[in-house]
Amino acid sequence: MNQLIGYLSEGEQLKGSLTIPQKIGGGGGGTLETITKTYTPTTSQQTEQITPSSGYDGIAEVDVTVDAMPTGTEGTPTATKGTVSNHSVNVTPSVTNVAGYIAGGTKTGTAVTVSASELDSGTKSITANGNNQDVVGYAAVDVAVPNSYSAADEGKVVDNGALVAQTAHADVTPTTSDQTIDTTLNNSLKVKGDADLVAANIKKDVEIFGVTGSYEGGGGSGSIEHGTFTPTERLKSHTITTEQEKSNFVVFAKEGFSFSLGTAAMILMIYQGSYGVGTNNGGTSTGTLGSGQGTLTKSGNNFTYEAAGTTLGSSTRAWQAGVTYHWFAW
Amino acid sequence: MRYYKQIESDYIIAIGTGLGGTEITEVEYNEILTVIRNKPQATATTDYRLKTDLTWEEYEHDPDPDPEPDAEEILSILLGGDPE
């Protein structure tokens, strides 16, 4: 049954026309829409309000399609490892410095990129020999120490590659030229000395090993020795000593003495042998200078003149105080 | 050159060059020689001895009976004759 429901006010007249829409499902008029919906099942409830699109008076039909649920067994998913094929990957070198492998010092803090020329490479083998050896540029260095030593090796030397103790001894005798002594196996050297290496045995002004000679004699017959003495008081006797034993002559002369001036002077001359005042008596010579003069004796390197007289006061030709006497012996 | 002084009983009786005595330096030799050159004048009965401290000590002695020989005596000695 169609039914019009409405209200008119008093005096109001109903106008227009009234179209009774077709009764849904009843074969009446109107435009109805058929709507198709597809849903994929999820784990949550899905709700949608469906309304007719514009231009439709109602919905004639809604077709709902729900996708099929995946099949399987509930539980922990499983997978099967497959084969991974080789791949080519382009890599930009990025090197974090490890001390000692990058030349030019340590680079710290962040990753650094180094070129090949900056990298140490290779291994160098060296043998310790006491000298500094350049190992720059090598990533690794093998050092070989050939031998090790202990306190017991103190003082030992290497001889033909073996460590041996020094046991030899060498004497060095000075010669006219320098000598170089191999001290490798010598634990001691002795440079010989000679007690005769004294100034008196060396010719005057000649230096031998730092000793300057003072000897002025000739060392044989014909050489003349000279000396002086100056008594501080009148002396009855005085002895002079020559460096080498003289056998022939000794002369005493007062300093400043001159024959031509005829001054009072004392000169004693002893000539052993041919003439007068001296005689030779088996190594000890005694010369008589004349009555009241004195005697000259010789013993070894010594010549002694002793004035005559039992006391100094009674002596004549005694050595005079303050007078310098020169003597010559040969 | 070697220099020496000859000492007897704390007195320097002589100095010299060559061997003998106690070796001294040239400086000391010259010092003593200067002292000797300035010896006080002796008299007929007194003389002076040089002590090791380089001071002179006076002493008495017998008169010197014999003067120095003159040139003729010396020549006589040289020729082996008796100068007396």
Side-chain angles (χ1 to χ4, degrees), chain A residues 204 216 227-235 238 241-243 254-255 257 259 262-267 269 276-277 289-291 293 311 313-317 320-322 324-325 327, chain B residues 1 4 6 11-20 29 33 36-37 39 47-50 56 59 62-71 73-75 77-78 80-84:
Chain A
K204 181 175 175 59
E216 295 182 88
T228 67
F229 67 96
T230 306
T232 60
E233 56 190 276
R234 191 166 179 264
L235 298 177
H238 185 72
T241 301
T242 58
E243 293 179 346
K254 182 179 177 181
E255 189 170 83
F257 167 74
F259 283 105
T263 56
M266 182 175 183
I267 179 169
M269 183 173 183
V277 296
L289 300 179
S291 175
Q293 298 297 311
T311 63
S314 63
S315 297
T316 59
R317 304 299 187 265
Q320 300 301 302
T324 296
Y325 296 91
W327 60 263
Chain B
M1 180 177 293
Y4 70 87
Q6 192 168 345
Y11 296 101
I12 299 174
I13 65 169
I15 60 174
T17 61
L19 297 181
Y29 175 86
L33 188 61
I36 294 173
R37 296 282 187 255
K39 181 179 180 181
D47 201 349
Y48 293 87
R49 290 183 291 208
L50 183 60
W56 292 102
Y59 71 99
D62 296 332
D64 186 355
D66 190 35
E68 290 278 344
D70 58 23
E73 290 177 319
I74 294 169
L75 287 175
I77 293 172
L78 292 175
D82 188 348
E84 295 299 313

Side-chain angles (χ1 to χ4, degrees), chain A residues 145-180:
Chain A
V145 180
N147 291 302
S148 61
Y149 305 102
S150 65
D153 297 322
E154 183 76 22
K156 291 182 178 178
V157 297
V158 177
D159 181 34
N160 291 325
L163 200 61
V164 299
Q166 292 179 306
T167 57
H169 168 82
D171 286 345
V172 182
T173 301
T175 68
T176 56
S177 60
D178 292 346
Q179 301 176 74
T180 300

Side-chain angles (χ1 to χ4, degrees), chain A:
Chain A
M1 179 181 69
N2 292 330
Q3 189 175 21
L4 179 63
I5 301 173
Y7 299 92
L8 294 174
S9 301
E10 189 177 353
E12 189 177 20
Q13 186 180 8
L14 181 60
K15 297 178 181 176
S17 60
L18 174 62
T19 299
I20 303 299
Q22 185 177 8
K23 180 181 177 181
I24 297 173
T31 302
L32 299 178
E33 181 182 12
T34 299
I35 297 174
T36 300
K37 288 288 185 179
T38 300
Y39 295 93
T40 299
T42 70
T43 58
S44 300
Q45 180 182 350
Q46 300 176 73
T47 302
E48 183 176 4
Q49 183 179 17
I50 300 173
T51 57
S53 304
S54 176
Y56 288 96
D57 296 324
I59 299 172
E61 183 179 309
V62 176
D63 295 329
V64 175
T65 300
V66 179
D67 290 342
M69 288 289 291
T71 62
T73 302
E74 181 182 7
T76 303
T78 60
T80 300
K81 180 171 65 176
T83 301
V84 178
S85 302
N86 292 331
H87 295 275
S88 296
V89 179
N90 293 325
V91 178
T92 300
S94 178
V95 180
T96 300
N97 176 55
V98 176
Y101 285 86
I102 298 178
T106 301
K107 298 177 180 180
T108 60
T110 60
V112 296
T113 299
V114 295
S115 63
S117 62
E118 293 179 286
L119 290 172
D120 291 334
S121 63
T123 299
K124 180 178 177 63
S125 296
I126 60 175
T127 300
N129 59 7
N131 298 320
N132 294 329
Q133 300 185 59
D134 188 3
V135 295
V136 173
Y138 293 95
V141 178
D142 293 332
V143 180
V145 180
N147 291 302
S148 61
Y149 305 102
S150 65
D153 297 322
E154 183 76 22
K156 291 182 178 178
V157 297
V158 177
D159 181 34
N160 291 325
L163 200 61
V164 299
Q166 292 179 306
T167 57
H169 168 82
D171 286 345
V172 182
T173 301
T175 68
T176 56
S177 60
D178 292 346
Q179 301 176 74
T180 300
I181 307 300
D182 183 1
T183 60
T184 303
L185 296 178
N186 290 311
N187 59 1
S188 65
L189 292 175
K190 180 173 71 178
V191 179
K192 290 189 173 180
D194 194 319
D196 289 331
L197 185 62
V198 295
N201 291 337
I202 301 173
K203 184 179 179 181
K204 181 175 175 59
D205 296 331
V206 174
E207 180 181 327
I208 299 178
F209 296 128
V211 179
T212 301
S214 62
Y215 178 63
E216 295 182 88
S221 61
S223 62
I224 299 176
E225 284 189 44
H226 167 249
T228 67
F229 67 96
T230 306
T232 60
E233 56 190 276
R234 191 166 179 264
L235 298 177
K236 186 173 185 289
S237 174
H238 185 72
T239 298
I240 61 100
T241 301
T242 58
E243 293 179 346
Q244 292 190 347
E245 183 173 352
K246 307 296 180 182
S247 60
N248 293 323
F249 296 92
V250 62
V251 171
F252 295 90
K254 182 179 177 181
E255 189 170 83
F257 167 74
S258 171
F259 283 105
S260 61
L261 294 177
T263 56
M266 182 175 183
I267 179 169
L268 310 171
M269 183 173 183
I270 307 303
Y271 178 70
Q272 298 179 9
S274 300
Y275 302 106
V277 296
T279 61
N280 192 330
N281 185 16
T284 299
S285 301
T286 300
T288 300
L289 300 179
S291 175
Q293 298 297 311
T295 57
L296 179 70
T297 59
K298 173 180 179 293
S299 178
N301 290 10
N302 297 325
F303 287 97
T304 301
Y305 169 74
E306 182 171 348
T310 55
T311 63
L312 177 62
S314 63
S315 297
T316 59
R317 304 299 187 265
W319 302 108
Q320 300 301 302
V323 174
T324 296
Y325 296 91
H326 290 257
W327 60 263
F328 302 88
W330 66 98

